[in-house]
Amino acid sequence: MGYTHYFHFSQEKAADIENGDKKFKKAINLFKKGMALLPDIKLGDGLGKGEPIITDERLCFNGKGEDGYESLNILLNEPMDGLDKFCKTQRQPYDAAVCLALLCFEKAFVG
């Protein structure tokens, strides 16, 4: 057990949702704007090193260095149905970025 965020789309892939690619891009843009307001949260790639992966087809990050735990990885063309997608953050500082990302995707895809 642990502190976990679960997420899924209503269809198999985000790309399969009507205008899924545009909605995914909107979520990414919302995330970038939100992160600009959280300069103290340091993000790395999926392993907590380097830079986070933020593109129009993928969002992948972890807390930087020792502030990480599990990566958040959302891809436009990856199956997302069911409760098989999750991110455990152990309440590390990057938890706020995970919450922000999931809220951005909710806003972009649901409205």
Side-chain angles (χ1 to χ4, degrees), residues 54-84:
I54 304 172
T55 70
D56 291 344
E57 296 180 356
R58 183 177 186 194
L59 177 63
C60 180
F61 64 85
N62 199 334
K64 194 93 168 190
E66 293 181 9
D67 286 337
Y69 192 66
E70 286 187 0
S71 62
L72 176 70
N73 191 28
I74 304 175
L75 291 104
L76 177 64
N77 289 304
E78 179 180 82
M80 306 277 298
D81 55 341
L83 291 178
D84 59 335

Side-chain angles (χ1 to χ4, degrees), residues 2-34:
Y3 187 71
T4 307
H5 298 282
Y6 293 93
F7 58 98
H8 68 277
F9 290 104
S10 58
Q11 274 92 0
E12 187 175 334
K13 301 176 187 175
D16 294 340
I17 298 171
E18 185 177 349
N19 296 315
D21 56 340
K22 291 178 184 172
K23 291 176 181 179
F24 199 96
K25 185 175 181 178
K26 179 180 178 181
I28 294 296
N29 288 332
L30 288 170
F31 179 74
K32 287 177 182 178
K33 288 178 185 176

